[in-house]
Amino acid sequence: MDKNSYIFRTVLIFIVFSLAVVLTACKTEDVTKRAENEEKVLKAMIEYPGDGLYNPVITVIGLGADEPSEEELAAAEQRAAEEKQLWKDKVGNCFADGMFDTFYDKWYRTEFLGIAMNSGLTTTISQFGIQDDADQSADNIEHALVTVQATDEKGDTKSFEMDWMVIFDKDDPNLIQKIELKDDGGLNKAYTDNFENGSFPDSD
């Protein structure tokens, strides 16, 4: 091997190695930022009482209930708009363009907040991690795995392992396109069975 050929190969190896380091660093940075966004969204959906994102007004509907006045309807609409703005301020920048509204309309956005409120629970995320999609059907899908601690008014705590599938934006991998519940670890069943059986948590 002549000297020029050796120098060329050395330089080429150095360039390839440098590119690998740079690309790995970029990927790690992207994953870290996206993970922060995913954790922020999940905390908003799961942790109660949290940041005041869930404080519904109970409306009585049925025979004998008064029809809401125009003022009450207007107040309800105003409250709904304010609540949506609170969510947008909290997690709106975690989503790709136009996808926050889609997320906001999902039933599971407040499912666990509602369970926590109705069951007198304090819910927190104690562990958070990311796992690649095992199906490998797309390169922009991963799973956010969280451990949720639910503590009742007596101080008893239960732990639940949740699995959320995340589809992130291909053009900006830091941003979320969609987040979808795959497994709640049994939290729903653990607390809603009380209501189905006619037993409600103590109010004291």
Side-chain angles (χ1 to χ4, degrees):
M1 180 185 300
D2 60 37
K3 183 177 180 180
N4 289 338
S5 177
Y6 174 78
I7 293 174
F8 174 77
R9 289 188 61 184
T10 302
V11 171
L12 182 61
I13 292 172
F14 176 77
I15 291 173
V16 170
F17 178 77
S18 299
L19 282 173
V21 171
V22 170
L23 289 174
T24 301
C26 291
K27 182 178 180 181
T28 301
E29 182 179 353
D30 287 344
V31 170
T32 299
K33 178 60 179 175
R34 182 168 67 248
E36 290 174 357
N37 286 338
E38 291 171 3
E39 187 172 13
K40 184 189 295 187
V41 171
L42 288 170
K43 280 179 176 288
M45 285 195 290
I46 294 171
E47 295 197 336
Y48 184 83
D51 296 325
L53 296 174
Y54 188 72
N55 187 25
V57 174
I58 306 301
T59 302
V60 178
I61 300 175
L63 294 176
D66 294 332
E67 288 289 330
S69 65
E70 291 185 5
E71 291 78 8
E72 289 172 330
L73 290 174
E77 291 178 1
Q78 176 66 24
R79 185 183 182 87
E82 290 173 353
E83 180 176 308
K84 185 173 183 179
Q85 188 60 49
L86 283 174
W87 278 81
K88 190 169 186 177
D89 293 342
K90 182 70 175 179
V91 299
N93 61 355
C94 298
F95 290 89
D97 186 38
M99 300 310 297
F100 170 77
D101 287 337
T102 300
F103 157 77
Y104 194 81
D105 291 337
K106 295 299 183 183
W107 60 269
Y108 47 74
R109 176 179 60 84
T110 58
E111 179 192 16
F112 300 111
L113 299 175
I115 291 173
M117 186 189 76
N118 291 329
S119 302
L121 301 173
T122 297
T123 48
T124 58
I125 292 177
S126 60
Q127 289 186 318
F128 172 87
I130 293 176
Q131 179 177 291
D132 288 338
D133 184 49
D135 186 27
Q136 297 295 325
S137 58
D139 59 3
N140 65 326
I141 298 178
E142 64 188 10
H143 290 258
L145 307 178
V146 296
T147 301
V148 178
Q149 301 287 340
T151 304
D152 65 20
E153 294 170 336
K154 297 178 181 178
D156 295 330
T157 298
K158 294 181 181 180
S159 181
F160 305 92
E161 306 295 330
M162 289 190 182
D163 178 358
W164 295 79
M165 185 181 74
V166 179
I167 302 175
F168 54 89
D169 192 74
K170 289 186 176 181
D171 293 330
D172 188 344
N174 292 333
L175 301 179
I176 300 168
Q177 282 278 355
K178 181 180 180 181
I179 186 165
E180 178 180 338
L181 178 66
K182 304 304 290 185
D183 184 356
D184 76 349
L187 189 150
N188 187 311
K189 181 175 175 59
Y191 295 102
T192 57
D193 278 356
N194 291 332
F195 298 104
E196 292 172 0
N197 296 330
S199 174
F200 295 88
D202 295 336
S203 59
D204 296 336

